[in-house]
Amino acid sequence: MLWDGILSIGAKCIFFLVLKGLIEPWMNRELGDAAFGTYVVYYGYICILAYSCGEALNHIRVLNQDTDRIRARDYRLIIAAEALLSILILFGFGVFFIRMDIGEGFLFGITSAVLMLRLYSECVFRIEINYKKILLSSIFMSVGYLAGYLVFRTTKQWYVIFLAGETAAVFYAAVSGKLFRVYGEKGVSEYFLQTVKNASTLTGSYLISYALIYMDRFLVEYLLGSTEVSTYYIATTYGKCVALVIPPITAVLLSNISKGIIPLNKKMVNRVVAGSLGAVLLFFLAGLVMSRAMIYILYPSSYTNCLPVIDTGNLAQIVYYSCSIVNMMAIRLCDMKLQVIVETVYAILYLAFAVIGAFAGGLVGLAVGTLCANILRFLLLTIPVYRKVR
Protein backbone atom coordinates (compact mmCIF):
# COMPACT_ATOMS: atom_id res chain seq x y z
CA MET A 1 0.00 0.00 0.00
CA LEU A 2 2.90 2.37 0.73
CA TRP A 3 4.28 1.92 -2.79
CA ASP A 4 0.82 2.54 -4.25
CA GLY A 5 0.63 5.78 -2.26
CA ILE A 6 4.05 6.86 -3.56
CA LEU A 7 3.06 6.15 -7.17
CA SER A 8 -0.25 7.97 -6.73
CA ILE A 9 1.45 11.01 -5.22
CA GLY A 10 4.07 10.89 -7.97
CA ALA A 11 1.33 11.01 -10.59
CA LYS A 12 -0.15 14.09 -8.97
CA CYS A 13 3.26 15.74 -8.61
CA ILE A 14 4.11 15.37 -12.29
CA PHE A 15 0.83 16.93 -13.40
CA PHE A 16 0.95 19.62 -10.70
CA LEU A 17 4.45 20.69 -11.67
CA VAL A 18 3.43 20.99 -15.31
CA LEU A 19 0.16 22.85 -14.68
CA LYS A 20 1.02 25.00 -11.65
CA GLY A 21 4.77 25.31 -12.20
CA LEU A 22 4.79 25.92 -15.96
CA ILE A 23 1.44 26.32 -17.73
CA GLU A 24 -0.34 28.73 -15.37
CA PRO A 25 2.65 31.04 -14.75
CA TRP A 26 3.15 31.20 -18.53
CA MET A 27 -0.57 31.93 -18.97
CA ASN A 28 -0.38 34.69 -16.35
CA ARG A 29 2.44 36.38 -18.24
CA GLU A 30 0.56 36.04 -21.55
CA LEU A 31 -2.85 37.15 -20.29
CA GLY A 32 -2.07 39.64 -17.50
CA ASP A 33 -3.60 39.62 -14.01
CA ALA A 34 -7.16 40.66 -14.96
CA ALA A 35 -7.56 38.17 -17.84
CA PHE A 36 -5.84 35.46 -15.78
CA GLY A 37 -8.37 36.13 -13.02
CA THR A 38 -11.17 35.63 -15.55
CA TYR A 39 -9.63 32.29 -16.54
CA VAL A 40 -9.54 31.26 -12.88
CA VAL A 41 -13.26 32.03 -12.52
CA TYR A 42 -14.32 30.26 -15.75
CA TYR A 43 -12.20 27.22 -14.91
CA GLY A 44 -13.93 27.12 -11.54
CA TYR A 45 -17.31 26.69 -13.24
CA ILE A 46 -15.87 23.88 -15.36
CA CYS A 47 -14.42 22.07 -12.34
CA ILE A 48 -17.61 22.20 -10.29
CA LEU A 49 -19.52 20.07 -12.79
CA ALA A 50 -16.59 17.91 -13.87
CA TYR A 51 -15.33 16.96 -10.42
CA SER A 52 -18.80 16.48 -8.92
CA CYS A 53 -19.95 14.02 -11.58
CA GLY A 54 -16.63 12.41 -12.51
CA GLU A 55 -15.32 11.74 -9.02
CA ALA A 56 -18.71 10.64 -7.69
CA LEU A 57 -19.13 7.94 -10.35
CA ASN A 58 -15.47 7.00 -9.94
CA HIS A 59 -16.00 6.34 -6.22
CA ILE A 60 -19.30 4.52 -6.80
CA ARG A 61 -17.64 2.16 -9.27
CA VAL A 62 -14.69 1.46 -6.97
CA LEU A 63 -17.01 0.74 -4.03
CA ASN A 64 -19.02 -1.74 -6.14
CA GLN A 65 -16.13 -3.44 -7.88
CA ASP A 66 -17.38 -6.94 -6.95
CA THR A 67 -20.18 -6.49 -9.55
CA ASP A 68 -18.17 -4.34 -11.95
CA ARG A 69 -18.62 -6.53 -15.05
CA ILE A 70 -22.38 -6.62 -14.57
CA ARG A 71 -22.64 -2.85 -14.03
CA ALA A 72 -20.17 -1.82 -16.78
CA ARG A 73 -22.91 -0.87 -19.25
CA ASP A 74 -24.65 1.17 -16.55
CA TYR A 75 -21.54 3.23 -15.86
CA ARG A 76 -20.97 3.93 -19.55
CA LEU A 77 -24.55 5.13 -19.97
CA ILE A 78 -24.44 7.31 -16.84
CA ILE A 79 -21.12 9.02 -17.64
CA ALA A 80 -22.23 9.68 -21.23
CA ALA A 81 -25.45 11.30 -19.99
CA GLU A 82 -23.56 13.39 -17.43
CA ALA A 83 -21.01 14.54 -20.02
CA LEU A 84 -23.73 15.58 -22.47
CA LEU A 85 -25.64 17.39 -19.73
CA SER A 86 -22.53 19.29 -18.64
CA ILE A 87 -21.95 20.48 -22.23
CA LEU A 88 -25.52 21.77 -22.48
CA ILE A 89 -25.45 23.45 -19.06
CA LEU A 90 -22.15 25.27 -19.53
CA PHE A 91 -22.88 26.17 -23.14
CA GLY A 92 -26.16 27.76 -22.08
CA PHE A 93 -24.59 29.44 -19.07
CA GLY A 94 -21.67 30.76 -21.09
CA VAL A 95 -23.69 32.07 -24.03
CA PHE A 96 -26.74 33.46 -22.24
CA PHE A 97 -25.34 34.61 -18.89
CA ILE A 98 -21.62 35.30 -19.38
CA ARG A 99 -22.24 36.51 -22.96
CA MET A 100 -19.67 34.28 -24.65
CA ASP A 101 -19.86 33.79 -28.39
CA ILE A 102 -21.12 30.40 -29.61
CA GLY A 103 -17.64 29.05 -30.33
CA GLU A 104 -16.29 29.86 -26.88
CA GLY A 105 -19.48 28.57 -25.29
CA PHE A 106 -18.96 25.21 -26.98
CA LEU A 107 -15.33 25.07 -25.82
CA PHE A 108 -16.52 25.98 -22.31
CA GLY A 109 -18.90 23.00 -22.24
CA ILE A 110 -16.75 20.41 -23.98
CA THR A 111 -13.79 21.14 -21.68
CA SER A 112 -15.94 20.26 -18.67
CA ALA A 113 -17.12 17.02 -20.33
CA VAL A 114 -13.60 15.85 -21.17
CA LEU A 115 -12.32 16.71 -17.68
CA MET A 116 -15.26 14.75 -16.23
CA LEU A 117 -14.38 11.71 -18.33
CA ARG A 118 -10.76 11.87 -17.21
CA LEU A 119 -11.68 12.07 -13.53
CA TYR A 120 -13.99 9.09 -13.94
CA SER A 121 -11.42 7.15 -15.99
CA GLU A 122 -9.04 6.54 -13.08
CA CYS A 123 -11.55 4.12 -11.53
CA VAL A 124 -10.42 1.29 -13.84
CA PHE A 125 -6.86 1.56 -12.54
CA ARG A 126 -7.99 1.94 -8.93
CA ILE A 127 -10.05 -1.24 -9.18
CA GLU A 128 -6.94 -3.08 -10.37
CA ILE A 129 -4.92 -1.23 -7.69
CA ASN A 130 -2.56 -0.47 -10.56
CA TYR A 131 -1.01 2.88 -9.69
CA LYS A 132 1.73 2.44 -12.29
CA LYS A 133 -0.92 3.04 -14.93
CA ILE A 134 -2.21 6.08 -13.03
CA LEU A 135 1.36 7.42 -13.15
CA LEU A 136 1.57 6.77 -16.90
CA SER A 137 -1.81 8.43 -17.39
CA SER A 138 -0.48 11.53 -15.62
CA ILE A 139 2.59 11.57 -17.89
CA PHE A 140 0.46 11.36 -21.04
CA MET A 141 -1.82 14.09 -19.68
CA SER A 142 1.11 16.38 -18.86
CA VAL A 143 2.56 15.98 -22.36
CA GLY A 144 -0.88 16.81 -23.75
CA TYR A 145 -1.04 19.97 -21.65
CA LEU A 146 2.35 21.13 -22.93
CA ALA A 147 1.27 20.48 -26.51
CA GLY A 148 -1.97 22.33 -25.86
CA TYR A 149 -0.05 25.34 -24.56
CA LEU A 150 1.75 25.63 -27.89
CA VAL A 151 -1.65 25.84 -29.61
CA PHE A 152 -2.78 28.42 -27.01
CA ARG A 153 0.14 30.66 -27.95
CA THR A 154 -1.41 30.93 -31.40
CA THR A 155 -5.15 30.84 -30.69
CA LYS A 156 -5.19 32.61 -27.27
CA GLN A 157 -7.96 30.17 -26.27
CA TRP A 158 -6.84 28.56 -23.01
CA TYR A 159 -9.48 25.83 -23.36
CA VAL A 160 -7.29 24.02 -25.91
CA ILE A 161 -4.64 23.40 -23.24
CA PHE A 162 -7.08 21.44 -21.11
CA LEU A 163 -8.75 19.69 -24.03
CA ALA A 164 -5.41 18.37 -25.30
CA GLY A 165 -4.21 17.16 -21.90
CA GLU A 166 -7.44 15.62 -20.63
CA THR A 167 -8.18 13.90 -23.95
CA ALA A 168 -4.75 12.24 -23.88
CA ALA A 169 -5.48 10.75 -20.43
CA VAL A 170 -8.97 9.55 -21.43
CA PHE A 171 -7.57 7.91 -24.56
CA TYR A 172 -4.94 6.10 -22.48
CA ALA A 173 -7.59 4.82 -20.04
CA ALA A 174 -9.81 3.70 -22.90
CA VAL A 175 -6.99 1.69 -24.49
CA SER A 176 -4.98 0.46 -21.49
CA GLY A 177 -7.79 0.18 -18.94
CA LYS A 178 -10.67 -0.69 -21.31
CA LEU A 179 -12.62 2.14 -19.70
CA PHE A 180 -15.68 1.92 -21.94
CA ARG A 181 -15.72 -1.86 -22.36
CA VAL A 182 -19.02 -3.62 -21.75
CA TYR A 183 -19.74 -7.33 -21.68
CA GLY A 184 -22.37 -9.67 -23.11
CA GLU A 185 -25.45 -8.27 -21.39
CA LYS A 186 -27.98 -6.15 -23.24
CA GLY A 187 -29.63 -3.11 -21.71
CA VAL A 188 -28.99 -2.02 -18.15
CA SER A 189 -28.32 -4.27 -15.19
CA GLU A 190 -30.55 -5.05 -12.22
CA TYR A 191 -28.42 -2.60 -10.21
CA PHE A 192 -29.01 0.34 -12.55
CA LEU A 193 -31.58 2.25 -10.50
CA GLN A 194 -29.59 1.79 -7.29
CA THR A 195 -26.42 2.93 -9.06
CA VAL A 196 -28.20 6.01 -10.41
CA LYS A 197 -29.60 6.77 -6.95
CA ASN A 198 -26.21 6.45 -5.23
CA ALA A 199 -24.43 8.40 -7.94
CA SER A 200 -27.06 11.15 -7.81
CA THR A 201 -26.81 11.42 -4.04
CA LEU A 202 -23.03 11.55 -4.02
CA THR A 203 -22.96 13.92 -6.99
CA GLY A 204 -25.40 16.23 -5.23
CA SER A 205 -23.15 16.27 -2.19
CA TYR A 206 -20.06 16.90 -4.31
CA LEU A 207 -21.80 19.70 -6.23
CA ILE A 208 -22.26 21.57 -2.98
CA SER A 209 -18.73 20.74 -1.86
CA TYR A 210 -17.00 21.76 -5.08
CA ALA A 211 -19.18 24.84 -5.50
CA LEU A 212 -17.84 25.93 -2.13
CA ILE A 213 -14.24 25.04 -3.01
CA TYR A 214 -14.43 27.43 -5.94
CA MET A 215 -16.81 29.90 -4.30
CA ASP A 216 -13.95 32.04 -3.01
CA ARG A 217 -12.96 33.05 -6.54
CA PHE A 218 -16.57 33.83 -7.44
CA LEU A 219 -17.04 35.93 -4.32
CA VAL A 220 -13.76 37.75 -4.81
CA GLU A 221 -14.65 38.55 -8.42
CA TYR A 222 -18.10 39.81 -7.43
CA LEU A 223 -16.92 41.82 -4.43
CA LEU A 224 -13.39 42.88 -5.37
CA GLY A 225 -12.79 42.26 -9.11
CA SER A 226 -10.84 39.93 -11.42
CA THR A 227 -7.41 41.25 -10.45
CA GLU A 228 -8.02 40.32 -6.80
CA VAL A 229 -9.14 36.86 -7.94
CA SER A 230 -5.72 36.44 -9.51
CA THR A 231 -4.01 37.60 -6.30
CA TYR A 232 -5.96 35.23 -4.07
CA TYR A 233 -5.49 32.29 -6.44
CA ILE A 234 -1.75 32.83 -6.65
CA ALA A 235 -1.43 33.37 -2.88
CA THR A 236 -2.97 29.94 -2.18
CA THR A 237 -0.80 28.05 -4.67
CA TYR A 238 0.99 26.22 -1.84
CA GLY A 239 -2.31 25.14 -0.28
CA LYS A 240 -3.22 23.49 -3.57
CA CYS A 241 -0.02 21.45 -3.28
CA VAL A 242 -1.72 19.51 -0.48
CA ALA A 243 -3.83 17.94 -3.23
CA LEU A 244 -0.65 16.19 -4.34
CA VAL A 245 -0.55 14.15 -1.14
CA ILE A 246 -3.89 13.88 0.66
CA PRO A 247 -6.38 12.94 -2.11
CA PRO A 248 -4.07 10.24 -3.57
CA ILE A 249 -3.68 8.72 -0.10
CA THR A 250 -7.47 8.85 0.28
CA ALA A 251 -7.91 7.03 -3.04
CA VAL A 252 -5.49 4.27 -2.00
CA LEU A 253 -7.21 3.87 1.39
CA LEU A 254 -10.65 3.66 -0.23
CA SER A 255 -9.47 1.00 -2.70
CA ASN A 256 -7.97 -1.12 0.10
CA ILE A 257 -10.92 -0.65 2.44
CA SER A 258 -13.30 -1.72 -0.35
CA LYS A 259 -11.33 -4.95 -0.79
CA GLY A 260 -11.35 -5.60 2.99
CA ILE A 261 -7.58 -5.23 3.28
CA ILE A 262 -7.94 -2.45 5.87
CA PRO A 263 -10.59 -2.86 8.62
CA LEU A 264 -12.50 0.25 9.69
CA ASN A 265 -12.60 -0.12 13.47
CA LYS A 266 -12.19 2.48 16.20
CA LYS A 267 -8.44 1.99 16.38
CA MET A 268 -8.06 2.64 12.66
CA VAL A 269 -10.38 5.67 12.82
CA ASN A 270 -8.24 7.12 15.63
CA ARG A 271 -5.14 6.66 13.51
CA VAL A 272 -6.70 8.28 10.46
CA VAL A 273 -8.03 11.29 12.37
CA ALA A 274 -4.74 11.77 14.20
CA GLY A 275 -2.90 11.49 10.89
CA SER A 276 -5.17 14.12 9.35
CA LEU A 277 -4.53 16.60 12.17
CA GLY A 278 -0.82 15.89 12.08
CA ALA A 279 -0.79 16.51 8.32
CA VAL A 280 -2.49 19.88 8.79
CA LEU A 281 0.18 21.01 11.27
CA LEU A 282 3.06 19.65 9.22
CA PHE A 283 1.94 21.19 5.93
CA PHE A 284 1.18 24.53 7.54
CA LEU A 285 4.58 24.85 9.23
CA ALA A 286 6.40 23.80 6.06
CA GLY A 287 4.32 26.26 4.08
CA LEU A 288 5.41 29.31 6.08
CA VAL A 289 8.63 29.27 4.04
CA MET A 290 7.74 27.21 0.97
CA SER A 291 4.66 29.24 0.02
CA ARG A 292 6.67 32.45 -0.15
CA ALA A 293 9.43 30.81 -2.14
CA MET A 294 6.96 29.36 -4.66
CA ILE A 295 5.23 32.66 -5.35
CA TYR A 296 8.49 34.59 -5.53
CA ILE A 297 9.81 32.18 -8.16
CA LEU A 298 6.64 31.54 -10.17
CA TYR A 299 4.81 34.88 -9.89
CA PRO A 300 7.41 37.51 -8.92
CA SER A 301 5.22 40.44 -9.99
CA SER A 302 2.42 39.32 -7.63
CA TYR A 303 4.60 38.51 -4.60
CA THR A 304 4.01 41.70 -2.58
CA ASN A 305 0.25 41.69 -3.16
CA CYS A 306 -0.02 38.07 -1.95
CA LEU A 307 1.81 38.44 1.38
CA PRO A 308 -1.10 39.67 3.56
CA VAL A 309 -3.32 36.68 2.76
CA ILE A 310 -0.80 33.93 2.11
CA ASP A 311 -0.73 32.12 5.49
CA THR A 312 -4.44 32.17 6.34
CA GLY A 313 -5.45 31.34 2.78
CA ASN A 314 -3.14 28.35 2.58
CA LEU A 315 -4.17 27.02 6.00
CA ALA A 316 -7.81 27.14 4.93
CA GLN A 317 -6.94 25.06 1.85
CA ILE A 318 -4.92 22.55 3.91
CA VAL A 319 -7.76 21.99 6.39
CA TYR A 320 -10.25 21.50 3.57
CA TYR A 321 -8.20 18.86 1.78
CA SER A 322 -7.52 17.09 5.09
CA CYS A 323 -11.28 16.63 5.41
CA SER A 324 -11.19 14.29 2.41
CA ILE A 325 -9.48 11.59 4.50
CA VAL A 326 -12.21 11.65 7.14
CA ASN A 327 -14.83 11.90 4.40
CA MET A 328 -13.51 8.67 2.89
CA MET A 329 -14.45 6.88 6.13
CA ALA A 330 -17.82 8.64 6.25
CA ILE A 331 -18.65 7.43 2.72
CA ARG A 332 -17.88 3.86 3.76
CA LEU A 333 -19.44 3.80 7.23
CA CYS A 334 -22.36 6.23 7.08
CA ASP A 335 -25.49 6.63 4.98
CA MET A 336 -24.94 8.60 1.76
CA LYS A 337 -27.49 11.14 3.00
CA LEU A 338 -24.92 12.31 5.53
CA GLN A 339 -22.90 13.72 2.64
CA VAL A 340 -25.76 15.97 1.56
CA ILE A 341 -26.56 17.06 5.13
CA VAL A 342 -22.94 17.92 5.96
CA GLU A 343 -22.33 19.79 2.71
CA THR A 344 -25.59 21.75 3.04
CA VAL A 345 -24.74 22.87 6.57
CA TYR A 346 -21.20 23.62 5.47
CA ALA A 347 -22.51 25.68 2.54
CA ILE A 348 -24.54 27.90 4.83
CA LEU A 349 -21.65 28.36 7.25
CA TYR A 350 -19.14 28.97 4.48
CA LEU A 351 -21.19 31.62 2.70
CA ALA A 352 -22.01 33.41 5.93
CA PHE A 353 -18.41 33.44 7.21
CA ALA A 354 -16.84 34.23 3.83
CA VAL A 355 -19.16 37.10 2.92
CA ILE A 356 -18.95 38.68 6.38
CA GLY A 357 -15.19 38.24 6.33
CA ALA A 358 -14.85 39.75 2.85
CA PHE A 359 -16.84 42.82 3.82
CA ALA A 360 -14.94 43.21 7.08
CA GLY A 361 -11.40 42.54 5.89
CA GLY A 362 -11.19 42.05 2.13
CA LEU A 363 -9.10 39.08 1.00
CA VAL A 364 -7.75 38.42 4.49
CA GLY A 365 -11.23 38.45 6.00
CA LEU A 366 -12.52 36.05 3.36
CA ALA A 367 -9.63 33.69 4.09
CA VAL A 368 -10.36 33.76 7.84
CA GLY A 369 -14.04 33.01 7.20
CA THR A 370 -13.15 30.13 4.90
CA LEU A 371 -10.78 28.67 7.50
CA CYS A 372 -13.46 28.74 10.22
CA ALA A 373 -15.99 27.02 7.94
CA ASN A 374 -13.50 24.32 6.95
CA ILE A 375 -12.69 23.53 10.59
CA LEU A 376 -16.39 23.06 11.29
CA ARG A 377 -16.72 20.79 8.24
CA PHE A 378 -13.96 18.57 9.62
CA LEU A 379 -15.95 18.20 12.86
CA LEU A 380 -19.24 17.57 11.05
CA LEU A 381 -17.67 14.60 9.27
CA THR A 382 -15.62 13.24 12.15
CA ILE A 383 -18.36 13.04 14.81
CA PRO A 384 -20.72 10.72 12.80
CA VAL A 385 -17.78 8.42 11.96
CA TYR A 386 -16.96 8.00 15.66
CA ARG A 387 -20.60 7.29 16.42
CA LYS A 388 -20.52 4.40 13.93
CA VAL A 389 -17.46 2.73 15.46
CA ARG A 390 -17.94 3.32 19.17
Side-chain angles (χ1 to χ4, degrees):
M1 189 176 75
L2 177 60
W3 181 241
D4 289 338
I6 292 171
L7 289 174
S8 185
I9 293 169
K12 294 289 183 182
C13 284
I14 290 170
F15 174 63
F16 186 90
L17 290 173
V18 170
L19 179 61
K20 303 297 182 183
L22 296 176
I23 300 293
E24 287 190 341
W26 291 342
M27 287 175 62
N28 180 254
R29 295 186 184 99
E30 287 281 328
L31 298 173
D33 284 343
F36 185 74
T38 300
Y39 145 73
V40 169
V41 172
Y42 287 3
Y43 188 58
Y45 291 127
I46 288 170
C47 288
I48 289 172
L49 277 178
Y51 275 84
S52 299
C53 297
E55 285 200 340
L57 196 59
N58 181 319
H59 292 160
I60 292 294
R61 187 165 183 175
V62 172
L63 286 169
N64 294 284
Q65 56 190 272
D66 54 327
T67 54
D68 190 67
R69 290 173 63 93
I70 299 173
R71 298 177 188 239
R73 196 179 300 272
D74 300 350
Y75 297 127
R76 190 174 69 173
L77 178 61
I78 293 169
I79 196 63
E82 290 178 336
L84 177 60
L85 188 60
S86 72
I87 293 173
L88 296 175
I89 290 173
L90 286 186
F91 176 82
F93 180 71
V95 171
F96 296 108
F97 290 92
I98 304 180
R99 302 301 180 184
M100 295 177 174
D101 60 44
I102 291 177
E104 186 179 2
F106 176 74
L107 289 173
F108 193 41
I110 198 70
T111 302
S112 178
V114 176
L115 176 58
M116 181 188 302
L117 288 172
R118 196 269 295 174
L119 291 164
Y120 164 68
S121 71
E122 289 186 1
C123 65
V124 292
F125 304 135
R126 292 174 60 199
I127 288 171
E128 296 176 10
I129 313 186
N130 192 332
Y131 286 89
K132 290 181 181 178
K133 288 187 177 181
I134 290 179
L135 179 64
L136 287 172
S137 175
S138 181
I139 292 171
F140 281 115
M141 182 166 60
S142 298
V143 172
Y145 267 77
L146 291 170
Y149 179 76
L150 296 178
V151 180
F152 161 75
R153 292 290 300 273
T154 301
T155 63
K156 301 304 178 183
Q157 290 284 357
W158 56 264
Y159 304 98
V160 298
I161 301 173
F162 296 86
L163 285 172
E166 302 296 335
T167 299
V170 172
F171 182 77
Y172 175 72
V175 174
S176 179
K178 298 180 175 59
L179 175 66
F180 301 113
R181 180 181 181 182
V182 295
Y183 300 89
E185 313 88 13
K186 293 183 178 180
V188 297
S189 76
E190 61 186 293
Y191 303 103
F192 179 72
L193 292 179
Q194 185 63 44
T195 302
V196 170
K197 179 181 177 181
N198 289 340
S200 299
T201 302
L202 196 56
T203 298
S205 168
Y206 282 10
L207 277 170
I208 299 171
S209 177
Y210 280 109
L212 293 170
I213 288 176
Y214 296 102
M215 185 60 69
D216 54 2
R217 63 189 71 184
F218 306 146
L219 288 174
V220 173
E221 183 193 39
Y222 178 74
L223 298 171
L224 303 171
S226 295
T227 301
E228 290 298 285
V229 174
S230 180
T231 298
Y232 191 77
Y233 182 78
I234 292 169
T236 55
T237 298
Y238 172 78
K240 298 177 184 69
C241 290
V242 177
L244 299 177
V245 179
I246 293 180
I249 291 174
T250 302
V252 173
L253 286 172
L254 184 59
S255 296
N256 283 274
I257 288 170
S258 298
K259 288 185 178 295
I261 298 172
I262 298 176
L264 268 186
N265 49 38
K266 189 171 184 178
K267 185 177 181 180
M268 180 56 67
V269 170
N270 285 335
R271 289 179 178 177
V272 172
V273 172
S276 300
L277 295 175
V280 169
L281 179 61
L282 177 63
F283 283 122
F284 176 68
L285 293 177
L288 294 176
V289 175
M290 292 181 63
S291 60
R292 287 163 172 78
M294 290 177 65
I295 295 173
Y296 187 79
I297 294 170
L298 298 176
Y299 301 94
S301 63
S302 302
Y303 180 76
T304 302
N305 292 336
C306 292
L307 287 178
V309 73
I310 192 169
D311 294 328
T312 308
N314 282 314
L315 181 57
Q317 295 259 328
I318 292 167
V319 172
Y320 182 87
Y321 284 118
S322 296
C323 288
S324 68
I325 300 179
V326 179
N327 194 40
M328 172 270 302
M329 297 189 295
I331 289 173
R332 186 63 178 174
L333 291 173
C334 305
D335 192 289
M336 285 290 182
K337 292 179 182 178
L338 175 69
Q339 299 288 311
V340 177
I341 294 171
V342 168
E343 297 305 337
T344 301
V345 173
Y346 172 62
I348 295 170
L349 294 172
Y350 175 87
L351 289 173
F353 291 171
V355 171
I356 293 171
F359 277 111
L363 285 179
V364 176
L366 185 142
V368 171
T370 301
L371 174 60
C372 292
N374 289 345
I375 291 172
L376 290 173
R377 181 173 181 262
F378 188 94
L379 295 174
L380 288 171
L381 289 168
T382 303
I383 292 171
V385 168
Y386 270 109
R387 286 178 176 172
K388 283 290 183 179
V389 296
R390 65 183 178 185

